[in-house]
């Protein structure tokens, strides 16, 4: 009999066409039916004949294809087993071990992921915009499937591109490594913040920096960053089942925090570590570390944008207390 833990560690996910295919299909079919209906209701003496119905048939055909894509095309994953269903509802079944590598970003201006077998032959092709694509790509990465980024003609083809790249660059760490990794990254990030302060001394502002540790339930609450509370209390003897370590930086001037005209604090949040479900078969959970180079690159861009924005908008300071502690260390107690 299967235990609760075994059920929790089972991997089941699916990738499907997004709602755009359904909307396009419904609109196309509706338009294709509306045109001949109007012709029947309001016949024209000038006629039109077959030339009128040719484009109508093309619209109807295109709408039907969209509806078939939405209803039929999908990928079903259950542990090691993968089933791809195409437009015509034809199934192709294979296992994780049969995947040699995947090509990401192929297809010109259409972002796609192509799975290839051990001989390099195509197993299936999926679009970036399909629902569940990020989860499926995480499944491939967690199970060590080699990824080849082929690039696209338009990097803006999908907002998902940045997320997929971040997933591909993350690494897994054990509980004992968190403290050292966090210490090194804080030193790297603090150097960038202090350089910003030195280059923008005219603002007379400094950054209050530190790690905030949360559970997933803490992060689900919709509130301002300063109002978020933490259920993680130090000293930590073990990492909680749902754990997120975030580097936060609040801009201060004097003893007050800088806020905008709407009273929102100026804060930069860098999600660094998270303990989440693993899609590696049999692993259960995994502590994921975001790539430091990606974070510092994003941080540098955010600070540059803030430098440009500060002189052009109205800011003031407020005195408040953060509802969570910012710490110089993270992870288990040394």
């Amino acid at each position: 009999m299967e235990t609760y833990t075994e059920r929790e560690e089972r991997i089941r996910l699916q990738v499907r066409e997004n709602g755009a295919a359904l909307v396009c299909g419904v609109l196309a079919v509706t338009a294709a039916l509306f045109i001949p209906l109007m012709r029947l209701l309001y016949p024209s003496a000038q006629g039109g004949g077959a030339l009128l119905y040719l484009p109508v048939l093309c619209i109807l055909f295109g709408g039907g294809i969209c509806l078939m894509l939405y209803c039929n095309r999908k990928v079903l994953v259950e542990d090691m087993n993968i089933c791809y269903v195409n437009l015509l509802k034809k199934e192709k079944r294979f296992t994780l071990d049969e995947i040699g590598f995947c090509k990401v970003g192929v297809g010109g201006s259409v972002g796609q992921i192509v799975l290839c077998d051990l001989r390099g032959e195509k197993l299936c092709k999926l679009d970036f915009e399909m629902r569940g694509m990020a989860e499926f790509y995480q499944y491939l990465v967690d199970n060590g499937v080699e990824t080849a980024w082929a690039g696209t003609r338009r990097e803006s083809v999908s907002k998902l591109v940045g997320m997929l790249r971040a997933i591909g660059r993350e690494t897994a760490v054990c509980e004992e490594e968190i403290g050292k990794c966090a210490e090194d990254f804080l030193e790297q990030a603090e150097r960038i913040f202090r350089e910003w302060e030195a280059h923008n001394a005219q603002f007379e502002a400094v950054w209050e920096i530190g790690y905030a540790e949360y559970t997933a339930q803490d992060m689900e609450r919709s509130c301002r960053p300063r109002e978020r509370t933490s259920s993680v209390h130090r000293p930590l003897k073990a990492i909680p089942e749902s754990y997120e370590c975030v580097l936060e930086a609040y801009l201060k001037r004097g003893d007050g925090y800088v806020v905008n005209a709407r009273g929102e604090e100026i804060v930069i949040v860098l999600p660094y570590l998270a303990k989440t479900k693993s899609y590696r078969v049999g692993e259960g959970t995994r502590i994921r570390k975001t790539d430091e180079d990606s974070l510092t690159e994003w941080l540098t861009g955010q600070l540059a944008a803030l430098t440009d924005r500060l002189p052009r908008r109205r800011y003031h300071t407020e005195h408040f207390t953060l509802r969570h502690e910012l710490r110089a260390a993270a992870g288990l107690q040394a």
Side-chain angles (χ1 to χ4, degrees):
M1 184 175 178
E2 191 178 48
T3 66
Y4 175 77
T5 302
E6 289 171 338
R7 289 197 303 271
E8 284 292 294
E9 292 185 359
R10 296 292 297 272
I11 298 169
R12 291 186 177 91
L13 58 94
Q14 63 175 296
V15 182
R16 303 197 62 133
E17 290 290 339
N18 63 26
L22 177 62
V23 172
C24 291
V26 170
L27 291 177
V29 171
T30 302
L33 296 177
F34 178 78
I35 295 172
L37 177 62
M38 289 297 100
R39 178 167 174 76
L40 290 174
L41 294 176
Y42 305 100
S44 172
Q46 285 75 25
L51 292 178
L52 172 66
Y53 292 100
L54 184 59
V56 172
L57 290 174
C58 291
I59 295 173
L60 185 62
F61 179 76
I65 292 295
C66 289
L67 291 177
M68 290 174 66
L69 276 172
Y70 181 78
C71 295
N72 296 340
R73 191 181 181 211
K74 59 189 173 184
V75 173
L76 303 174
V77 177
E78 184 170 347
D79 295 330
M80 297 280 291
N81 303 307
I82 302 170
C83 176
Y84 170 70
V85 184
N86 69 7
L87 169 71
L88 301 176
K89 224 170 183 179
K90 183 179 179 181
E91 296 183 357
K92 177 185 284 189
R93 296 181 179 273
F94 52 94
T95 67
L96 186 63
D97 290 335
E98 294 178 67
I99 302 176
F101 63 96
C102 68
K103 294 186 288 186
V104 184
V106 298
S109 62
V110 180
Q112 296 174 334
I113 288 181
V114 178
L115 297 185
C116 300
D117 63 18
L118 299 172
R119 296 177 296 178
E121 298 179 0
K122 184 178 74 175
L123 290 169
C124 67
K125 180 169 62 177
L126 306 169
D127 297 332
F128 279 178
E129 301 300 335
M130 295 176 73
R131 290 179 296 165
M133 179 56 72
E135 189 178 17
F136 180 64
Y137 186 64
Q138 185 80 71
Y139 167 79
L140 297 175
V141 171
D142 282 4
N143 285 284
V145 175
E146 183 181 347
T147 299
W149 276 85
T152 59
R153 293 176 186 173
R154 292 188 299 119
E155 280 300 321
S156 59
V157 65
S158 169
K159 293 181 181 179
L160 194 60
V161 171
M163 183 184 297
L164 295 182
R165 288 191 182 277
I167 290 173
R169 292 172 179 170
E170 72 183 18
T171 55
V173 298
C174 64
E175 293 187 356
E176 292 74 19
E177 293 177 304
I178 293 177
K180 177 59 177 173
C181 291
E183 179 184 350
D184 292 342
F185 179 60
L186 179 60
E187 182 180 338
Q188 187 177 359
E190 189 167 19
R191 189 182 309 116
I192 296 174
F193 281 112
R194 300 312 172 209
E195 288 176 358
W196 183 92
E197 292 172 359
H199 293 150
N200 297 277
Q202 70 274 18
F203 298 139
E204 299 179 350
V206 296
W207 291 96
E208 181 180 340
I209 310 166
Y211 286 110
E213 296 173 294
Y214 303 107
T215 64
Q217 290 73 24
D218 297 331
M219 299 297 287
E220 289 172 359
R221 181 189 172 201
S222 179
C223 62
R224 292 176 177 174
R226 75 192 193 208
E227 298 170 343
R228 194 174 305 282
T229 57
S230 173
S231 303
V232 178
H233 304 292
R234 297 187 72 84
L236 275 179
K237 299 299 181 182
I239 299 299
E241 280 303 308
S242 62
Y243 170 82
E244 298 194 31
C245 175
V246 179
L247 183 66
E248 297 181 355
Y250 294 82
L251 190 62
K252 300 184 72 175
R253 186 173 183 180
D255 57 353
Y257 291 90
V258 179
V259 298
N260 61 20
R262 297 188 298 273
E264 299 168 335
E265 64 272 24
I266 306 304
V267 58
I268 292 178
V269 177
L270 299 172
Y272 183 52
L273 286 153
K275 185 177 182 180
T276 63
K277 174 181 174 61
S278 172
Y279 291 98
R280 185 177 181 86
V281 177
E283 187 172 45
T285 59
R286 172 176 292 202
I287 301 175
R288 307 180 187 279
K289 179 174 69 68
T290 308
D291 175 61
E292 288 88 351
D293 290 340
S294 299
L295 286 176
T296 54
E297 181 181 346
W298 183 85
L299 172 59
T300 302
Q302 290 297 302
L303 290 175
L306 182 62
T307 302
D308 183 60
R309 190 167 65 244
L310 280 175
R312 296 187 290 106
R313 298 187 183 179
R314 298 183 64 180
Y315 293 92
H316 61 282
T317 59
E318 282 187 11
H319 297 274
F320 54 78
T321 302
L322 300 180
R323 296 191 182 178
H324 56 272
E325 183 182 354
L326 292 184
R327 308 180 179 109
L332 303 179
Q333 184 183 30

